[in-house]
Amino acid sequence: MRHNAIGIDFGTSNSSVALALPGGEVRMAVFPFAGTMTDSYRSLLYLEQEKVHGRNVVKSWSGPAGIERYLDADDKGRLIQSLKSFLTSRTLKGTEIFGRMHTLEELVSRILRDLKGHAEAQFGVSIGEAVVGRPVEFVGAEKEADNRHAEGRLREAFRVAGFDKVSFQLEPVGAAYHYESTLERDELLLIGDFGGGTSDFTLIRVGPGVRKRGRKKQDLLGHAGLGLAGDTFDAKIIHHLVSPALGAGTQLRSVDKLLPVPVWIYAKLERWHHLSFLKTKDTMEMIRVVQAQALEPEKIAALLHLIREDLGYRLHQSVQAVKRDLSSHTEAMFRFSDGDVSLDATVKRSDFELWIGEELERIRGCVDGLLGAHKVEPGQVDRVFLTGGTSFVPAVRRIFEERFGAAKIQTGDEFTSVARGLALQGVFG
Ligand SMILES: Nc1ncnc2c1ncn2[C@@H]1O[C@H](COP(=O)(O)OP(=O)(O)OP(=O)(O)O)[C@@H](O)[C@H]1O
Ligand SMILES: [Mg+2]
């Protein structure tokens, strides 16, 4: 007899948990956020230090509760996001928070434990086993050993979070198994799953016939992946739009020479959660010296304000908002204001597409490489299923429309397809 199964997609930006029933029905775990319920759980962690009976105690919140707590706090603690993107790093074992080292595995496990708790309470079952997704190529992976290293760390995080048994599956294969549940006949599918950290592809034969006869190894023709997606697009918007308004590319006068304002400051800005790394006494002092010599000091003053007031998260929200608007409009307003700092700009979709041109080219190359490696012509692919939040970007979709024709493209369940399919694999194999 078949049993229920749990699928977990621990995403770079959003995570989700699905329960599949023996008959194939799938239910998503939902989480409270801002007065409503959501089935995607932000993969972030927020930590605060409190004094309890004279001793320092560190408390943590994950997901939507973490965002709410962070936004409410006057004295901000540490907000940590995109942890999945660091799993390949051999040098980054963890991070120091309030004077104590926390391993990456431990931090990830805190998010997973909360996810597990929410799902258990909602589904009324104890969850010890799960089918868990992993990208084809983790962010930063240069060789297969890096992927194994990252998967091992993820496995350890699940163990620490209280899971007895996890089996890994490639995220795009999860998305394929979800799409399969909508099919009436077998098809050769190309999946493109575009998330926050990675873009993942698989060429796979799925359908009711395949499921009935039992899957064969050769049904999975091949897969490919890139360690770039929505986070990289955000970094490009910051680079081209935000950093110049905060002094990037401007000059300062040192004695009798004109010098550029140091660029490394702005590299930190591009990964918004690194902004807090600039908030040290020495760095702030150095930026104040830059401000005193700057030809456009008001821009450096705005930068100092952002660092001092911990506005990285809010700035990133503005960047994501303009990116989302550009998915449905050919022009959008970027808006950010706090105190004396006010950044407004109109952005054209065509400009955004130029900024991410190199990334689009790499995506195109990766898809062509996958087809070429398996000697599959675009005409042989029956359907292209695009999923993940970054698949909303029109320029990303266009790559597939040009290769395969618009009629073959299907989209949907952007934030839940992977977890749904993973859960289905747990039931049907
Ligand atoms: N309408 C939209 N237009 C453009 N980008 C969007 C839109 N909605 C969400 N995104 C982007 O999608 C990304 C998140 O997608 P998703 O939740 O699928 O990723 P993830 O599963 O967490 O990451 P990964 O699969 O890489 O681990 C973010 O970069 C977000 O900014
Ligand atoms: Mg994903």
Side-chain angles (χ1 to χ4, degrees):
M1 208 189 88
R2 284 186 185 131
H3 296 278
N4 293 347
I6 294 285
I8 301 183
D9 176 15
F10 173 65
T12 312
S13 320
N14 302 296
S15 296
S16 48
V17 184
L19 168 77
L21 303 177
E25 187 194 328
V26 178
R27 294 192 191 141
M28 296 303 300
V30 290
F31 316 98
F33 181 52
T36 62
M37 300 301 277
T38 169
D39 51 20
S40 71
Y41 191 88
R42 289 293 294 272
S43 313
L44 56 74
L45 196 61
Y46 174 61
L47 299 102
E48 272 179 13
Q49 181 163 259
E50 246 178 47
K51 270 238 172 339
V52 179
H53 306 304
R55 285 184 48 207
N56 289 328
V57 176
V58 175
K59 286 190 167 173
S60 68
W61 295 261
S62 69
I67 304 173
E68 283 173 351
R69 181 82 194 182
Y70 170 80
L71 292 175
D72 283 350
D74 291 327
D75 194 10
K76 306 274 188 231
R78 279 281 296 278
L79 186 66
I80 303 178
Q81 198 178 280
S82 296
L83 281 165
K84 190 179 171 187
S85 296
F86 300 100
L87 290 171
T88 53
S89 172
R90 315 266 168 164
T91 48
L92 191 101
K93 303 250 182 292
T95 180
E96 198 180 304
I97 301 166
F98 307 122
R100 186 171 99 69
M101 271 307 283
H102 295 260
T103 65
L104 213 54
E105 290 84 333
E106 178 196 337
L107 298 172
V108 171
S109 77
R110 290 193 189 207
I111 302 176
L112 298 175
R113 181 172 294 139
D114 291 350
L115 268 176
K116 179 173 181 283
H118 278 288
E120 286 179 336
Q122 188 187 327
F123 297 143
V125 292
S126 151
I127 298 173
E129 238 179 79
V131 183
V132 172
R134 59 150 276 191
V136 175
E137 299 285 343
F138 281 89
V139 171
E142 287 170 7
K143 43 191 187 313
E144 199 37 43
D146 298 336
N147 284 317
R148 279 199 300 276
H149 178 68
E151 186 184 293
R153 290 177 100 176
L154 201 49
R155 187 182 292 282
E156 173 62 9
F158 271 90
R159 191 192 65 76
V160 174
F163 290 84
D164 313 317
K165 191 177 166 207
V166 297
S167 38
F168 281 98
Q169 176 55 281
L170 297 175
E171 287 161 14
V173 174
Y177 291 165
H178 164 63
Y179 186 72
E180 177 181 57
S181 62
T182 68
L183 289 179
E184 285 172 5
R185 59 181 182 85
D186 293 352
E187 289 187 351
L188 177 61
L189 271 189
L190 171 65
I191 302 286
D193 174 18
F194 299 91
T198 59
S199 300
D200 294 278
F201 309 96
T202 190
L203 259 177
I204 187 169
R205 185 167 298 283
V206 292
V210 171
R211 218 189 232 182
K212 210 161 151 208
R213 68 144 153 82
R215 297 193 198 284
K216 293 186 179 156
K217 223 172 141 208
Q218 58 269 31
D219 293 331
L220 181 62
L221 277 73
H223 42 74
L226 287 172
L228 69 89
D231 283 354
T232 316
F233 292 1
D234 297 342
K236 295 285 168 167
I237 294 177
I238 294 180
H239 183 79
H240 290 276
L241 188 75
V242 180
S243 293
L246 300 174
T250 64
Q251 292 180 310
L252 54 86
R253 186 175 296 282
S254 174
V255 197
D256 55 354
K257 279 196 303 236
L258 282 178
L259 299 172
V261 166
V263 288
W264 63 265
I265 301 172
Y266 301 95
K268 289 272 184 281
L269 200 63
E270 285 172 25
R271 297 290 175 183
W272 67 274
H273 39 294
H274 292 181
L275 189 69
S276 59
F277 297 159
L278 296 174
K279 201 180 171 183
T280 66
K281 204 163 151 266
D282 290 352
T283 310
M284 292 292 275
E285 191 46 45
M286 188 238 104
I287 301 175
R288 268 186 223 106
V289 172
V290 169
Q291 184 193 7
Q293 301 170 322
L295 300 191
E296 297 172 66
E298 67 290 350
K299 292 185 174 171
I300 310 294
L303 173 67
L304 279 168
H305 179 81
L306 282 178
I307 302 171
R308 203 182 305 115
E309 301 296 322
D310 289 306
L311 297 172
Y313 179 77
R314 282 198 32 216
L315 180 68
H316 190 248
Q317 289 297 99
S318 296
V319 167
Q320 295 222 328
V322 75
K323 182 179 71 171
R324 275 197 305 273
D325 286 350
L326 286 170
S327 292
S328 43
H329 301 94
T330 53
E331 206 173 275
M333 275 298 284
F334 173 80
R335 285 199 188 86
F336 177 86
S337 75
D338 188 89
D340 292 339
V341 176
S342 178
L343 311 174
D344 291 304
T346 305
V347 189
K348 288 200 177 71
R349 187 192 281 170
S350 53
D351 286 333
F352 173 56
E353 292 181 354
L354 284 177
W355 300 341
I356 59 169
E358 210 175 288
E359 286 69 28
L360 295 172
E361 204 42 59
R362 287 186 61 196
I363 292 171
R364 202 173 284 126
C366 190
V367 173
D368 287 346
L370 175 62
L371 293 177
H374 301 282
K375 301 198 171 42
V376 172
E377 293 294 327
Q380 292 170 271
V381 173
D382 297 306
R383 191 83 56 193
V384 178
F385 180 59
L386 303 179
T387 192
T390 298
S391 72
F392 283 116
V393 174
V396 169
R397 293 188 177 194
R398 208 157 58 227
I399 293 172
F400 297 86
E401 288 163 5
E402 284 167 1
R403 278 288 177 288
F404 302 93
K408 281 192 185 169
I409 314 293
Q410 294 278 322
T411 57
D413 298 305
E414 280 77 7
F415 300 105
T416 59
S417 59
V418 172
R420 287 173 184 277
L422 295 171
L424 286 170
Q425 171 179 324
V427 171
F428 296 109

